[in-house]
Amino acid sequence: MDALGLTLEMTVVLGLLALTVTLFVTEVVRIDLAAISVLVLLGLLSQVPGLENIADVDELFSGLESNAVVSIIAVMIIGAGLDKTGIMSKVAAFILKHGGRTEARIVPIISGTVGVISSFMQNVGAAALFLPVVSRISVRTELPLSRLLMPMGFCAILGGTMTMVGSSPLILLNDLIQNANESLPADQQMEQFGLFDVTPIGVALILTGILYFMLLGRWVLPGTPDAEDATSGQSLREYLQKIYGLHADIFEVSIPVGHPCEGMTFDELMQEYHVYIIGSAYRGQRWFAPTIDTPITTPCRLAVLGRGRDVNTMVLDRGLTMHSSLDVFAEDYAPTKSGVAEVVIPPGSSLIGKCAHDVIFRKTYGASMLAIHRDEETLSYVETEDHAPTAIAEVPYKAGDTLVIHSTWEALTRLTKNRDFVVVTTDFPQEELRPTKVGWALTFFAIALGMILFTDVLLSLCLLTGAVGMILTRVLSIDEAYQSVSWSTVFLLASLIPLGLAVQSTGTAAWIADRILMLLDGWPIWALQAGVAVLATIFTLIMSNVGATVLLVPLAVSIAVAAGGNPAIFALTVAISTSNSFLIPTHQVNALIMGPAGYKVTDFMKSGGIMTVLFLVVSLGVMGVLF
């Protein structure tokens, strides 16, 4: 076969590819803006005489309506619906309870779970569903989200290689084999692969991914992002230390049955040891910000806020039990549900001249008052560096007082509508969970999943069925559905799809493949297979993995037949290797996690470079053993 010639259109497309990669790596502009800019440039160049065929202007924006992009939008809405009912918080709590709170234990559990799930559904769907779970685990453990999302995302991609329905290339493979058989003699006909024929490869790849991040994660993953602004709703410990010098944290304490403390009020215990009792649990019921005149009934558990030494003194004096971490109260005091905020008493407030006892502050507002900041002075039960403890519940309010409170975000949202306060804290989740809608959320999630697994209905339609069902049953409103979509991710992927089509339609992809295959001429069979794997890896970075599979499987089969190799194994090599997409965020999963974790393209190149090599070595090694 004669070598393909390089045309003007191919040259222009190669230039656009180089520009895209350069913009992604340098990040001169935001990555989504870079993708949109390249899309616009592609459209404008197609109007130049002689370049009309590099892009069909009528199809230039087809990426916005593509099956992949619509599927991502739908799965984000489904994930938001499940999150709105509180299911994802419970999943996060379960993982924390059984998996511990360290990165070394959490990463394998999350990554392994997502990897298995993505073997039966689209990997971007599995990643999107677990995104809120990982977010909650991050804030509860104070592990940076950037250290958890990349292992989860990479294993979601790897999980797609576990079954023949785990990724689009593997779904396509048997059809492509059937088409290739039509041009092969009877003695070279290829057998199609069964559902679990690739499972050993997928399992080996997932284990490799988990071990990679467990052993090298501290060096290849980005570190802690910059701290949040002080006006944000924050976790209690970091905020009190940073702003008011209150070296306090939340501890969980048990009081056994019949203890001498029984009958004492919370207020008495608080004043004696200069701590705050901000939560209580008794016979399976929990109270957030219980009133301070509540008598202690045993056996019970208390959520106590204070300096570690003061809480330890109380525990030792009274013979109580302190738990190593929050257990019963883990959900209530997670930063995703509650935190520290500031409210100001404005002139004209009906609270002026009254104290917390007078208005029964906790019962009325559902929040615990931690301090009063007045005239450059902080009054608090907890001793500060420049002030002795103060019984702030007895201090009358003045206009201009800043109250530091610990509140659920739901209660703080209600305070924003109360004219007696001006809520200074601005950045906090102003939403209410809808646990009563959990049945509808699970029903439509199950319907969408069932349609994906057991019907031939288009993937995007299956997922949209679940998303629309959740909206119609008011699991979330249509406005909340819009807000749940990461539009930067949507436009990033939608803008890259036409460029991938241009690479294929202009013959640029075939030209690149032809150049590389000429270099492979005369190599031994194992080297040819490795060369095909590398070629597939390169192609999946610059065009869709489906497009790369469709283009390269016939070429790989031809190479195998000519060299005396097994054409089915060469075809499988292509379909597996088009999942090897870790270097830049062009894969749907990488694009999904990039924004929430604050990743840069260089982060993917740093972590993904080693993962790319490991993928090639492990996949080729396992295929060599199996086949």
Side-chain angles (χ1 to χ4, degrees):
M1 184 175 67
D2 295 333
L4 294 174
L6 183 64
T7 66
L8 175 62
E9 291 176 345
M10 293 179 188
T11 304
V12 171
V13 171
L14 286 171
L16 286 175
L17 281 174
L19 174 63
T20 303
V21 173
T22 301
L23 289 175
F24 280 7
V25 173
T26 60
E27 295 190 76
V28 177
V29 294
R30 259 179 48 166
I31 186 170
D32 50 341
L33 178 57
I36 295 172
S37 300
V38 171
L39 171 66
V40 171
L41 184 58
L42 178 66
L44 293 176
L45 287 173
S46 67
Q47 305 302 307
V48 176
L51 300 178
E52 296 90 347
N53 294 325
I54 67 171
D56 184 348
V57 178
D58 294 333
E59 299 294 328
L60 191 63
F61 304 107
S62 60
L64 288 169
E65 62 185 23
S66 72
N67 182 56
V69 171
V70 174
S71 297
I72 287 178
I73 292 173
V75 83
M76 287 178 181
I77 295 173
I78 290 175
L82 292 172
D83 193 33
K84 181 68 71 173
T85 64
I87 292 175
M88 292 309 186
S89 290
K90 295 184 184 302
V91 173
F94 179 83
I95 291 175
L96 287 174
K97 184 175 181 179
H98 297 280
R101 307 175 71 86
T102 63
E103 183 178 326
R105 296 185 65 181
I106 289 174
V107 165
I109 293 174
I110 295 176
S111 302
T113 302
V114 173
V116 172
I117 292 175
S118 67
S119 68
F120 289 99
M121 66 181 297
Q122 290 291 316
N123 42 35
V124 68
L129 288 176
F130 260 74
L131 188 58
V133 174
V134 179
S135 176
R136 274 150 178 73
I137 290 174
S138 171
V139 293
R140 291 187 202 177
T141 59
E142 298 184 359
L143 293 172
L145 191 59
S146 59
R147 300 192 65 82
L148 300 179
L149 274 188
M150 192 172 285
M152 183 272 284
F154 280 16
C155 283
I157 297 173
L158 296 172
T161 62
M162 273 186 65
T163 68
M164 293 298 292
V165 296
S167 65
S168 298
L170 287 173
I171 293 173
L172 281 171
L173 181 59
N174 282 333
D175 288 341
L176 294 173
I177 286 176
Q178 185 175 352
N179 293 338
N181 280 338
E182 295 176 2
S183 59
L184 293 177
D187 60 336
Q188 293 180 336
Q189 294 283 303
M190 295 176 285
E191 292 186 7
Q192 295 185 341
F193 291 94
L195 180 63
F196 298 107
D197 284 350
V198 294
T199 299
I201 303 171
V203 170
L205 287 172
I206 291 177
L207 290 176
T208 300
I210 292 173
L211 288 173
Y212 168 52
F213 285 111
M214 288 180 67
L215 297 176
L216 302 179
R218 69 174 63 183
W219 294 287
V220 300
L221 290 172
T224 308
D226 295 335
E228 294 182 74
D229 186 82
T231 59
S232 301
Q234 298 181 41
S235 66
L236 191 147
R237 178 176 59 184
E238 63 183 19
Y239 187 80
L240 291 181
Q241 288 182 1
K242 179 179 179 182
I243 304 300
Y244 294 105
L246 302 178
H247 299 279
D249 203 354
I250 302 177
F251 303 88
E252 187 165 321
V253 174
S254 290
I255 303 180
V257 63
H259 192 275
C261 281
E262 185 157 16
M264 290 182 64
T265 65
F266 292 159
D267 191 28
E268 291 171 340
L269 208 57
M270 288 165 58
Q271 294 203 42
E272 181 177 353
Y273 293 101
H274 308 304
V275 297
Y276 296 98
I277 296 175
I278 60 175
S280 61
Y282 176 68
R283 290 186 176 178
Q285 286 189 294
R286 299 191 307 274
W287 289 268
F288 189 97
T291 56
I292 61 177
D293 59 357
T294 302
I296 295 174
T297 306
T298 60
C300 68
R301 290 199 184 193
L302 304 178
V304 182
L305 167 67
R307 296 167 69 102
R309 69 185 186 189
D310 293 334
V311 178
N312 277 320
T313 298
M314 181 186 72
V315 168
L316 293 174
D317 285 355
R318 295 286 179 174
L320 310 179
T321 301
M322 183 188 295
H323 299 273
S324 58
S325 61
L326 294 185
D327 180 17
V328 171
F329 299 106
E331 179 68 22
D332 292 328
Y333 297 98
T336 49
K337 189 170 182 180
S338 64
V340 175
E342 292 177 321
V343 298
V344 173
I345 305 294
S349 171
S350 65
L351 298 180
I352 294 175
K354 299 178 181 178
C355 66
H357 268 162
D358 295 334
V359 298
I360 319 176
F361 193 92
R362 293 188 174 195
K363 182 176 181 180
T364 305
Y365 304 112
S368 300
M369 189 171 64
L370 306 180
I372 301 175
H373 190 64
R374 173 188 296 171
D375 300 328
E376 304 302 323
E377 185 179 36
T378 300
L379 309 177
S380 169
Y381 268 133
V382 179
E383 182 180 0
T384 63
E385 295 176 358
D386 57 357
H387 201 279
T390 303
I392 56 173
E394 309 294 342
V395 177
Y397 299 130
K398 293 182 179 181
D401 281 352
T402 297
L403 309 185
V404 184
I405 64 173
H406 184 260
S407 169
T408 62
W409 304 133
E410 182 179 350
L412 189 61
T413 300
R414 291 195 298 267
L415 285 184
T416 61
K417 304 171 185 177
N418 190 320
R419 295 186 178 182
D420 286 331
F421 302 98
V422 174
V423 177
V424 178
T425 301
T426 56
D427 183 14
F428 63 94
Q430 300 187 44
E431 62 180 5
E432 298 180 14
L433 293 179
R434 299 175 187 133
T436 57
K437 296 292 185 178
V438 65
W440 285 116
L442 288 175
T443 297
F444 282 102
F445 173 64
I447 289 173
L449 189 59
M451 291 175 67
I452 293 170
L453 295 177
F454 305 114
T455 73
D456 295 327
V457 177
L458 194 67
L459 175 66
S460 55
L461 181 57
C462 296
L463 293 169
L464 274 177
T465 301
V468 172
M470 289 187 184
I471 296 171
L472 291 176
T473 53
R474 300 185 180 180
V475 174
L476 71 171
S477 68
I478 185 67
D479 289 333
E480 290 168 336
Y482 289 140
Q483 293 167 6
S484 69
V485 177
S486 173
W487 294 106
S488 60
T489 300
V490 170
F491 278 95
L492 169 63
L493 294 176
S495 299
L496 289 176
I497 287 174
L499 180 59
L501 292 175
V503 172
Q504 192 166 353
S505 64
T506 59
T508 306
W511 181 85
I512 295 173
D514 185 66
R515 299 298 100 181
I516 295 176
L517 293 178
M518 286 178 64
L519 295 175
L520 300 179
D521 187 36
W523 287 22
I525 291 178
W526 66 267
L528 286 174
Q529 185 182 356
V532 167
V534 172
L535 181 61
T537 299
I538 295 172
F539 268 57
T540 197
L541 295 175
I542 61 176
M543 61 189 298
S544 73
N545 53 8
V546 171
T549 304
V550 172
L551 177 71
L552 293 179
V553 164
L555 292 173
V557 169
S558 299
I559 292 173
V561 170
N566 186 332
I569 303 308
F570 272 62
L572 179 62
T573 300
V574 171
I576 292 289
S577 298
T578 50
S579 291
N580 191 6
S581 185
F582 306 103
L583 275 173
I584 54 178
T586 51
H587 192 281
Q588 299 163 7
V589 172
N590 292 340
L592 177 71
I593 65 176
M594 187 173 186
Y599 292 131
K600 297 181 179 180
V601 175
T602 50
D603 293 327
F604 283 99
M605 296 182 71
K606 181 179 179 181
S607 299
I610 300 175
M611 188 69 245
T612 298
V613 175
L614 290 175
F615 186 104
L616 289 169
V617 172
V618 172
S619 61
L620 289 171
V622 175
M623 278 190 280
V625 172
L626 289 177
F627 305 109

